[in-house]
Amino acid sequence: LVAYRRRHRSDVEYGAALELLVHDESNPRSLAASIVRLERHAADGEAALGPRFAEDARAALELPIEELVPRLRAVVVDAGARVVSRWFSTPVNPIELTAGAS
């Protein structure tokens, strides 16, 4: 609401609020800005996100809101599953502790 009031000196309008929350990359809490940040993580070596993550997420942003939420959720859940699989699927070899270890 604070960000909305800074940009729009009016009562809250559904379309303008939706634009701010979904599409406005300059709003750090918007979906679009979040996708940009995740795309940077992928570019910086978080390969588990995959090169298509940002493309699929941006494509979801173009859908009507009733389709956007389930589609974006599917994109994020899929990416999350790949990240978890990559980082937690390989067992760690624990160092055996002995009674005499300090």
Side-chain angles (χ1 to χ4, degrees), residues 2-22:
V2 172
Y4 182 89
R5 294 279 187 216
R6 277 192 210 131
R7 295 175 191 199
H8 307 283
R9 305 281 182 198
S10 66
D11 289 335
V12 177
E13 296 175 18
Y14 178 77
L18 193 60
E19 180 67 28
L20 180 67
L21 293 171
V22 175

Side-chain angles (χ1 to χ4, degrees), residues 62-84:
E62 300 304 317
L63 297 171
I65 194 71
E66 60 275 359
E67 296 173 37
L68 179 151
V69 172
R71 179 65 195 130
L72 193 56
R73 182 180 190 281
V75 169
V76 170
V77 166
D78 180 57
R82 286 195 309 271
V83 169
V84 167

